[in-house]
Amino acid sequence: MNTTSKTIEDYYKTQPDSTRAVLEEIRKTIQKTVPEAEQSICYGIPTFKYYGNLVHFGGYKNHVGFYPGAEAIETFADEIDGYIVSKGTVQFQLNQPIPFDLIAKITLYRVQKNIEKALSKNKSIGIYTPD
């Protein structure tokens, strides 16, 4: 895990070209899905925040990791069957097509959960509705 990067662009500089290209497509997918989300580095990897941590993603030699949290992994278990998964992570191998539509779908799920959590804490929020 890279803990020295301060920005997503700095993080990308530490990645091989092939991994960097996939990471950038994941970033664009999430940006398009939730344009109001804030981008940062958290836990040493690219992170999107929307009423709290939304999703994280990171590059490795043979895969990219997508970190939507344990509840999302459980909820989408059927759709991520066939990928390497752990409690809050799914690995997408670089030598296979990356399921960008699924990444968007899981990200929208996380938006919903973050909004529900914020509302349950009586926070005043502006509701974002994707196109």
Side-chain angles (χ1 to χ4, degrees):
M1 185 182 312
N2 177 346
T3 58
T4 60
S5 299
K6 302 292 184 210
T7 67
I8 293 175
E9 287 74 19
D10 287 344
Y11 180 84
Y12 286 171
K13 290 175 187 174
T14 69
Q15 301 295 313
D17 290 341
S18 58
T19 305
R20 187 179 314 129
V22 172
L23 292 172
E24 185 56 27
E25 283 304 311
I26 292 172
R27 182 184 190 187
K28 287 178 185 177
T29 297
I30 298 167
Q31 282 178 306
K32 183 178 177 184
T33 303
V34 192
E36 296 172 349
E38 199 179 302
Q39 299 178 53
S40 66
I41 294 289
C42 190
Y43 304 111
I45 56 176
T47 299
F48 277 80
K49 296 179 180 182
Y50 188 77
Y51 294 101
N53 284 338
L54 192 59
V55 294
H56 312 272
F57 58 100
Y60 303 91
K61 184 178 179 180
N62 297 313
H63 72 277
V64 292
F66 182 63
Y67 308 91
E71 184 179 2
I73 293 297
E74 200 173 294
T75 300
F76 289 90
D78 290 344
E79 294 179 64
I80 58 176
D81 187 41
Y83 296 103
I84 298 170
V85 297
S86 64
K87 185 175 179 182
T89 308
V90 59
Q91 292 181 11
F92 300 119
Q93 300 303 309
L94 293 172
N95 63 353
Q96 298 174 355
I98 305 297
F100 296 108
D101 289 346
L102 180 57
I103 289 170
K105 188 175 178 180
I106 293 171
T107 300
L108 280 176
Y109 171 82
R110 291 287 302 126
V111 166
Q112 176 186 351
K113 290 300 174 182
N114 280 9
I115 289 171
E116 288 172 4
K117 185 176 180 180
L119 289 173
S120 74
K121 292 181 177 182
N122 295 320
K123 290 184 180 177
S124 176
I125 64 172
I127 300 297
Y128 166 75
T129 352
D131 294 344

